[in-house]
Every structure is written in structure tokens, then in C-alpha cells.
Amino acid sequence: MEITDNNSYCVILAGGKGKRLWPVSREKYPKQFIDFFSEGRTQLQQTFDRFLDIVPKDNIFIVTSQLYYDIVREQLPEIAENNIISEPVYRNTAPSVAWAARRISKINSHANVIISPSDQSIMKPEIFKSNIQEGLNFTATHDCLLALGVQPTRAETAYGYIQKGSASTMGDIYKVKAFTEKPDEEFARMFVDSNEWLWNTGMYLGNVKFLKESLQQSLSVAQIDFDATPQEFDTEDEEEFAQHFFPAFPNMSIDYGVLEKSPDVHVLKCDFGWVDLGTWCGMYDSKSRGEDDNVVAGGEVLFDGSSNNIVKLPNDKFAILNGLDGFIVAEKGNLLLICKKENSSAFIRKYVNEAQLKKGEEFI
């Protein structure tokens, strides 16, 4: 069964604070709005471009924080205002997807929805498009959440992992046997060696009926009657509804709200060259290496006996690096970070907290 474009929708999640790419990504202007490699398009814009080749423009929705609404409008002027869903407070991905599913279901009860973060790189766009179409065909005929997984290439502790269960009758799709979020290094190595586990890309597909019902059940503590909400989304009633009810949602990820709880979860094994641009390691992996496997994302750098580093400096800075192997060197405004690249996500979270406590909000 082929899915018509009119039934295919995409929800791009663009409300994160981007702390894992600190200090370049800051709370007031996080990673999804930054053009890290001076390519002419930010992460959000590149994600929008990617899905514009798969679903109609009018079927793409951006979910973001009210803090970032104006940035989204500036970076995606072609998106209708009603297709930007702004949240009054941060409540993680489950409420974000529930809020978007609620809106889409009122527009098209037969919708099949792609959920995607705004900070990923896809190296093989044609294979990606084919995988998405395969997934939409599956969710059109199955009430389930379909995760997109890729074969891990290293023992990464900053990613979620999905264990394949029994194979389905359609393509490279499996029942999900288990899910683990951000394991320690020992378990991550076991997962990679077992060949049973896939990296969770954070992209999910599902028909809108299943998504809405599953998330309403997970978020039932909020006791919100979605079907009693305003029918029109460009009215003051809708904004007042969000201001009043959205803070009642628990802080819950879709991984916990559906992936870990629902018996109807599958995973499609993909090979579209996925890179998570939410971490410094992901940024390093997304670009071809220079001499001695160094990557320069900004500034001018003279490397002397240095290898496997990623450097992001202001474009007018010149740096000389001697004897560094496997480091992040990043400067933005009032902050300079020099940190080992391996397992840097955990360290950076700690540094962000310490900087906030010792120096204040202007450093995060």
C-alpha cells in the first residue's frame, strides 16, 4: 500500500537547549539554530529541507519553545504561523509529540506522522527517503510506534539503544525486545559486540490515532481532554489553552512514554548514514577529516603534533595546537572549552552545571 503525500506529516522537534554542544550552543540560542560549519543553512533549516522532499510543506510542523518562536519564524519564513507549535514551558518530547498529534488529528484523522529531532545529519538522502516511505507504509497498516535504528559503530554512551526482537513480515522491521537509554561504557560495548542492538536515532513513525491515544494514556496524569480543545488553532483560545494546560504535563520523553511502555513498538533497521549532531563526537563524525584526522568547524588552526581533534572558534581567531590528541577546543563569547572528546557529553553536562552555579546564567 502506497501512502499519498496528503496523509504524510512531519513533526520537527526544535525546542531543546542543546547543552551537549556547549559552549557554542547556549540556552538563549541553542544548536538547532546554528550553522556550525558555515554551510549556509542551520541544523533546523537543513532538517526542514530534508523532509520537504518527502512530505508537502503544509504538512510540516515545528514544535519549539516560546523562547525560540521568533528564531523559528526568522529561519523558516516559508512555514505558516499555524504550523509552528510553541510551548510555554519545557516538558520533554512526549508532551511535544502529543501536542502536535492532537493538532494533526483534527486536520487529518488518517495522517501518518514522522517525528524527527532537528539536529541530525543524513549522509544518504535517497536511502533515507526510501526508508521513510517503507516505514510510512508499515504504520498505515499497523497501530504501533516504529523507531528508526542504525547499526552502532562505537560504544557511545550518549545514545539510546534498541534490541531487535522477532522479525516482521515486512522488510527489515523487527519487534522491539528491549530499550536502554544512555548505557554506561561497559554495557555500550556489549551492545555493539552482540550485533542485536541498534542506535536509536530519535526518529519515530506512527499513525496519528495510535500516537495520540498512546501519549494521552502516558500523560494521563495531566487529565487533559484533548478532544474538548479549540477547533481552530489561530485563535486566542488555543494560546490560552496551552498556557493553562501545558505546564500540567509531566517532564517525559517519548522513549519512556511509549517506547518503553507500549507492547506495540517496532524498529526499522536503516542504513542512511545517520549522524547525531547533538554531540561534539557527532559533529566530528559528520565531516571529512583534515590532516591527522582533525576537523575545524570555525577559525584558523595550525596543528603541531595534534590529531583527532575538533575545533570550533570564532572565524577571526587563529589558534596553534600542540600535542593534543582527541580533544574538543571550542570558544564562544565569554567561554573557552578544552575537553577530551571521548564520552564528552557526560563531562559537559557537569561543566554546564558548575559554570551556572559559579558564574551565573550568562555562562549557559
Side-chain angles (χ1 to χ4, degrees), residues 37 283-284 287-290 293-297 303 309-311:
F37 293 99
M283 284 290 178
Y284 178 81
K287 293 299 170 185
S288 58
R289 318 284 192 266
D293 289 331
N294 293 302
V295 172
V296 178
F303 293 101
N309 302 295
I310 179 167
V311 182

Side-chain angles (χ1 to χ4, degrees), residues 131-195:
N131 284 152
I132 291 290
Q133 188 62 61
E134 181 182 357
L136 290 173
N137 287 334
F138 188 78
T139 58
T141 54
H142 295 76
D143 287 332
C144 72
L145 183 73
L146 179 65
L148 301 189
V150 296
Q151 192 70 33
T153 58
R154 63 176 184 274
E156 176 60 63
T157 61
Y159 298 166
Y161 289 74
I162 299 172
Q163 187 178 22
K164 296 180 294 183
S166 57
S168 75
T169 57
M170 293 179 64
D172 218 355
I173 296 175
Y174 304 83
K175 282 279 285 185
V176 169
K177 188 174 182 179
F179 168 80
T180 297
E181 179 71 5
K182 298 180 176 64
D184 62 30
E185 190 171 356
E186 182 180 355
F187 273 102
R189 285 203 181 97
M190 289 170 54
F191 293 162
V192 174
D193 292 341
S194 73
N195 208 34

Side-chain angles (χ1 to χ4, degrees), residues 38 47 57 74 93 95 129 141 159 168-169 172 195 299 313:
S38 300
T47 303
K57 180 183 68 175
E74 179 186 350
T93 54
K129 187 175 180 179
T141 54
Y159 298 166
S168 75
T169 57
D172 218 355
N195 208 34
L313 302 173

Side-chain angles (χ1 to χ4, degrees), residues 241-265:
F241 181 83
Q243 293 286 351
H244 182 69
F245 283 106
F246 200 85
F249 281 129
N251 190 338
M252 181 187 294
S253 69
I254 191 172
D255 303 320
Y256 180 77
V258 182
L259 189 58
E260 290 188 38
K261 292 185 175 181
S262 173
D264 301 309
V265 179

Side-chain angles (χ1 to χ4, degrees), residues 65-77:
S65 165
Q66 285 183 356
L67 296 172
Y68 309 139
Y69 177 85
D70 290 339
I71 304 176
V72 174
R73 290 292 300 145
E74 179 186 350
Q75 294 197 358
L76 295 177

Side-chain angles (χ1 to χ4, degrees), residues 212-326:
K212 183 181 170 186
E213 290 177 354
S214 298
L215 287 163
Q216 277 185 255
Q217 185 175 1
S218 294
L219 300 168
S220 59
V221 65
Q223 297 182 336
I224 294 175
D225 182 1
F226 273 31
D227 294 320
T229 61
Q231 293 295 318
E232 302 295 330
F233 301 112
D234 56 353
T235 66
E236 291 183 8
D237 289 343
E238 164 73 6
E239 187 173 339
E240 288 177 8
F241 181 83
Q243 293 286 351
H244 182 69
F245 283 106
F246 200 85
F249 281 129
N251 190 338
M252 181 187 294
S253 69
I254 191 172
D255 303 320
Y256 180 77
V258 182
L259 189 58
E260 290 188 38
K261 292 185 175 181
S262 173
D264 301 309
V265 179
H266 289 72
V267 61
L268 170 60
K269 182 180 178 182
C270 303
D271 183 25
F272 44 66
W274 175 80
V275 178
D276 175 15
L277 297 181
T279 67
W280 284 109
C281 285
M283 284 290 178
Y284 178 81
D285 289 342
S286 71
K287 293 299 170 185
S288 58
R289 318 284 192 266
E291 188 176 351
D292 294 322
D293 289 331
N294 293 302
V295 172
V296 178
E300 187 178 352
V301 185
L302 172 63
F303 293 101
D304 179 27
S306 297
S307 58
N308 305 305
N309 302 295
I310 179 167
V311 182
K312 173 67 173 173
L313 302 173
N315 288 331
D316 61 350
K317 285 292 179 74
F318 174 59
I320 301 171
L321 300 187
N322 171 264
L324 290 187
D325 180 23

Side-chain angles (χ1 to χ4, degrees), residues 99-160:
W99 208 247
R102 157 187 168 269
R103 181 170 295 194
I104 291 169
S105 69
K106 288 179 176 288
I107 299 169
N108 185 346
S109 61
H110 301 290
N112 289 280
V113 184
I114 308 158
I115 302 153
S116 173
S118 54
D119 56 354
Q120 303 186 338
S121 176
I122 304 299
M123 305 294 191
K124 305 172 186 175
E126 288 305 314
I127 295 177
F128 177 73
K129 187 175 180 179
S130 176
N131 284 152
I132 291 290
Q133 188 62 61
E134 181 182 357
L136 290 173
N137 287 334
F138 188 78
T139 58
T141 54
H142 295 76
D143 287 332
C144 72
L145 183 73
L146 179 65
L148 301 189
V150 296
Q151 192 70 33
T153 58
R154 63 176 184 274
E156 176 60 63
T157 61
Y159 298 166

